Amino acid sequence: AFDTSLEVLVANGVDLLVDDHDGFTPTPSLSRAILRHNTAGRGETADGVVITPSHNPPRDGGFKYNPPNGGPADATITGWIQDRANDLLRAGVDDVKRTADAREAAGRYDFLGAYVDELDQVVDIAAIRDAGVHIGVHPLGGASVKYWREIGERHRLRLEIVDDTVDPAFAFMTLDHDGKIRMDCSSPYAMRT
């Protein structure tokens, strides 16, 4: 999905930045990069896309758009994207422009480094470190494993990753009473992320 998205976006003239180490880019890191770019006021306004199972049931995973405000897109925007994508699929994808050299054409950005470096501007990392808090982290699917590792190392925190498994299928989630997966705010897993 990531490669196909790159091929289509680059072929259609969209300027892209991808992780400079071809790693996962968790949504908060993308949001920070969008806000940082747009606050600086240099060049075009940025927005972003994350290809993800997100925190949604499998049927809802996929393409997550973050508008220039850095937050999640509202239902009007996501409805338009969904409708346009379905129109293109119904018409047949043969007419959708794609390019084979999309990875080479995309720009690179250190999402992880920039996020971790600026984290102490929004969280009192020194107070956490000085208090000697021992933090246990479960990255829930693994997209943020490298981020948590860097946060612990760069900020010298007593931080332990209790499970570093990268699982895009979210197999750690159990089925609800009706056989469906739910990962909303009522889930104890969602509250720990």
Side-chain angles (χ1 to χ4, degrees), residues 5-16 99 101-103 105-106:
S5 297
L6 281 181
E7 291 170 5
V8 172
L9 292 168
V10 168
N12 287 279
V14 177
D15 291 327
L16 299 173
T99 183
D101 62 347
R103 280 196 185 250

Side-chain angles (χ1 to χ4, degrees), residues 5-144:
S5 297
L6 281 181
E7 291 170 5
V8 172
L9 292 168
V10 168
N12 287 279
V14 177
D15 291 327
L16 299 173
L17 295 176
V18 298
D19 181 69
D20 63 350
H21 298 294
D22 291 323
F24 297 114
T25 306
T27 303
S29 178
L30 173 68
S31 295
R32 190 220 61 84
I34 291 168
L35 292 174
R36 182 60 135 150
H37 174 84
N38 292 343
T39 301
R42 293 184 298 252
E44 303 262 342
T45 302
D47 55 3
V49 172
V50 176
I51 310 302
T52 179
S54 190
H55 55 277
N56 301 309
R59 71 181 191 290
D60 294 337
F63 200 84
K64 182 164 53 172
Y65 173 69
N66 279 32
N69 69 14
D74 66 29
T76 302
I77 295 170
T78 58
W80 182 89
I81 293 169
Q82 172 185 293
D83 292 347
R84 181 66 180 128
N86 286 330
D87 289 345
L88 291 168
L89 288 171
R90 277 190 288 277
V93 295
D94 292 339
D95 293 333
V96 175
K97 291 193 299 188
R98 290 173 69 172
T99 183
D101 62 347
R103 280 196 185 250
E104 294 76 33
R108 299 295 176 153
Y109 183 77
D110 183 9
F111 286 92
L112 184 149
Y115 182 83
V116 175
D117 287 345
E118 293 184 359
L119 188 59
D120 62 353
Q121 294 176 22
V122 294
V123 176
D124 192 345
I125 298 288
I128 295 169
R129 182 178 47 252
D130 294 347
V133 176
H134 189 177
I135 303 168
V137 175
H138 191 305
L140 300 175
S144 63

Side-chain angles (χ1 to χ4, degrees), residues 4 30 32 37 41 44 87 91 140 152 158 164 167 170 178 184:
T4 300
L30 173 68
R32 190 220 61 84
H37 174 84
E44 303 262 342
D87 289 345
L140 300 175
R158 292 182 59 208
D164 64 358
D167 180 11
F170 279 38
D178 59 0
D184 55 24

